[in-house]
Amino acid sequence: MIPATLLDYMPYLKLMSIDARVLIFAFALAILTGVVFALAPAFQAASTDVQGALKDGSRSSHSNSWRRFASALVVGEVALAMVLLAGSGLLVKSLYRLLNVNPGFDQHNLLGMGVGLSESRFPKDPGQLQAMQTLLDRVRALPGVKSVGTTSSLPVSDGGNTSNLRVVGVPSAAPQGREANSRTVNRTYFQALGAELVQGSWFTEADNPTGPQRVIVNKTLADQFMPGLDPLKQQIWFTYSDKEKPRQVIGVVRDIKEGPLDTPARPAIYTPAEANGRLFLGLIIRTEQRPDALITGVQNTIRQLDPDAVTFNVQTMEDRIQRSPAAFLHRYPAVLAGVFAGLALLLGTIGLYGLVAYSVSQRTQEIGIRMALGAQRGNVLNMVLAQGVRLIVPGVVAGIVAAMLVSYLMRSMLFGIRSWDPAIFVAVTAILAIVTLAASYVPARAATKVDPMVALRYE
């Protein structure tokens, strides 16, 4: 059901398959439902008093009880449609908010990929650092490339790779300090990403193996770890090793979505990649054209440097956001709820139309008498529409109450909106009212065309 090319970007779905037990249960339930609803009118017909029915003319003696039962079904269908429409509306709006959340960088014309260089070719640190710089220079020289940067972990990932740290001079409840996302980036990474500098400066050529040890932090880290302090006057100490020395904060960057889209930004700290070499890195490429058009050229450039190198998670940053686990977990419930809402609305509309049309056929003689006594076509139209309204209103009211309860229960599935969203409920109510009124209008319009002379002879 999902193309293999998409599964390559969504490995968390590769183990999913259709469960035979669920399929058999659904098939059996569908058969049972069909049998039950087919037997109900059969039993009703078998219990009919034939002599009484003949005395009452052509109309069934059970018509009133059947009409009440059918009316209850239609009210239930309208209420169910209201619940599903409201739920799907909330999920769709939540998905829209999620996909339009500010990731902290410009996702357009941006290509990302993971690169793994072979240790056999670059076994030691100076060689690894030189290989990274050579790779950046060659990729930057490709036609259509504006800028390029590296990071130890691409944005919009699982939010891992954390380190414990302390701010020098700021008391900490735990000896190891507090946890923050830790990223190693080169000095052109933030510019290539399109990140926003809030305070201070980016890394420069001075950030090298022999230069001063400096770091950049995100806005959340500055706010949480240094409340009321000037971040550019603070030093940070990584507590994972006694050999670590305090590092000066030189810049504060606007929060970048390092983790899932639907989670708040975590504290993050960035260290310069030029200080230490790496075999595995994330490549960020800002392009002047469609980013996917440069994939082959970039991969060829990487293999020219290292024939044994591997590339992975190759995709534009727009696709990375659209295909992220958080987007998937919000998109598919919205799609499924929308499909079921559409089916429920269709069934409710058909049921309402059928019931009103049947009522018109049963009241043909009554309508003819009314029109013979001077009733106008507008009066007949309003009379039949009122019957539909008497079914729509209870269904909508019951549906709103049920939808409020369901939306409260599904609040954990929503992002950036309230479970009780007035705009969604008003829009859904209007859609449901318009569609169901249209279903009542068609047979009501037909009732106004009844010929009184023909209706008076109708039996």
Side-chain angles (χ1 to χ4, degrees), residues 114-417:
V115 179
L117 302 176
S118 58
E119 188 174 8
S120 59
R121 289 182 176 272
F122 309 105
K124 296 183 180 180
D125 196 7
Q128 295 174 4
L129 189 59
Q130 182 59 43
M132 183 191 73
Q133 192 58 52
T134 302
L135 175 61
L136 290 176
D137 292 339
R138 292 184 180 182
V139 172
R140 192 179 293 113
L142 291 175
V145 173
K146 293 179 64 177
S147 57
V148 60
T150 67
T151 175
S152 56
S153 182
L154 292 172
V156 193
S157 60
D158 59 1
N161 296 336
T162 62
S163 297
N164 289 322
L165 54 88
R166 296 183 62 176
V167 178
V168 176
V170 176
S172 175
Q176 70 273 18
R178 301 169 70 175
E179 188 178 30
N181 284 129
S182 180
R183 301 288 184 265
T184 301
V185 302
N186 81 315
R187 59 176 174 268
T188 59
Y189 169 73
F190 292 111
Q191 295 92 321
L193 196 63
E196 180 185 351
L197 183 67
V198 179
Q199 272 183 277
S201 62
W202 302 124
F203 292 127
T204 66
E205 294 181 356
D207 297 286
N208 55 56
T210 60
Q213 294 185 328
R214 308 191 297 182
V215 296
I216 293 175
V217 300
N218 72 346
K219 186 72 164 54
T220 296
L221 189 147
D223 292 341
Q224 294 184 8
F225 292 14
M226 312 169 188
L229 301 176
D230 182 355
L232 302 184
K233 295 181 179 179
Q234 309 306 314
Q235 291 184 320
I236 287 180
W237 170 47
F238 287 102
T239 60
Y240 55 77
S241 172
D242 294 336
K243 298 180 180 180
E244 284 292 319
K245 297 180 180 179
R247 306 187 184 203
Q248 181 65 43
V249 177
I250 63 167
V252 179
V253 64
R254 185 78 63 190
D255 290 339
I256 297 170
K257 279 287 183 183
E258 301 290 354
L261 293 172
D262 55 355
T263 59
R266 296 184 60 186
I269 185 168
Y270 302 89
T271 56
E274 285 82 0
N276 295 286
R278 298 178 62 88
L279 290 175
F280 289 90
L281 50 92
L283 205 59
I284 287 291
I285 305 167
R286 175 70 60 185
T287 68
E288 296 177 345
Q289 58 193 51
R290 288 178 46 230
D292 50 0
L294 293 176
I295 291 177
T296 302
V298 173
Q299 290 178 325
N300 290 338
T301 300
I302 294 171
R303 291 188 175 89
Q304 288 173 4
L305 176 67
D306 182 1
D308 299 324
V310 295
T311 57
F312 50 94
N313 291 337
V314 182
Q315 58 191 151
T316 68
M317 292 308 295
E318 288 181 294
D319 286 343
R320 185 175 180 86
I321 290 174
Q322 293 285 335
R323 298 171 180 174
S324 65
F328 171 81
L329 293 175
H330 284 78
R331 179 182 293 111
Y332 277 81
V335 172
L336 290 176
V339 170
F340 286 122
L343 291 174
L345 181 60
L346 177 63
L347 291 175
T349 302
I350 293 174
L352 182 60
Y353 169 81
L355 183 60
V356 175
Y358 175 78
S359 176
V360 169
S361 68
Q362 293 290 296
R363 300 175 66 182
T364 300
Q365 191 175 52
E366 175 195 342
I367 293 172
I369 294 173
R370 288 177 179 271
M371 296 184 71
L373 293 176
Q376 299 298 313
R377 295 185 184 276
N379 301 126
V380 175
L381 181 68
N382 293 334
M383 178 186 70
V384 179
L385 281 177
Q387 181 183 357
V389 171
R390 284 194 292 270
L391 298 175
I392 296 170
V393 172
V396 170
V397 172
I400 290 176
V401 174
M404 292 177 64
L405 175 61
V406 171
S407 63
Y408 176 77
L409 296 176
M410 59 183 282
R411 64 190 184 281
S412 61
M413 300 174 63
L414 304 177
F415 175 82
I417 63 172

Side-chain angles (χ1 to χ4, degrees), residues 76-87 340-341 344-346 348 428 432:
E77 288 173 342
V78 172
L80 179 61
M82 179 70 196
V83 172
L84 291 174
L85 284 171
F340 286 122
L345 181 60
L346 177 63
V428 167
L432 189 60

Side-chain angles (χ1 to χ4, degrees), residues 82 86 89-90 93 97 400 404 407 417-430:
M82 179 70 196
L90 289 171
K93 187 172 183 179
R97 290 285 179 85
I400 290 176
M404 292 177 64
S407 63
I417 63 172
R418 295 176 295 173
S419 59
W420 165 249
D421 191 297
I424 292 295
F425 277 81
V426 170
V428 167
T429 302

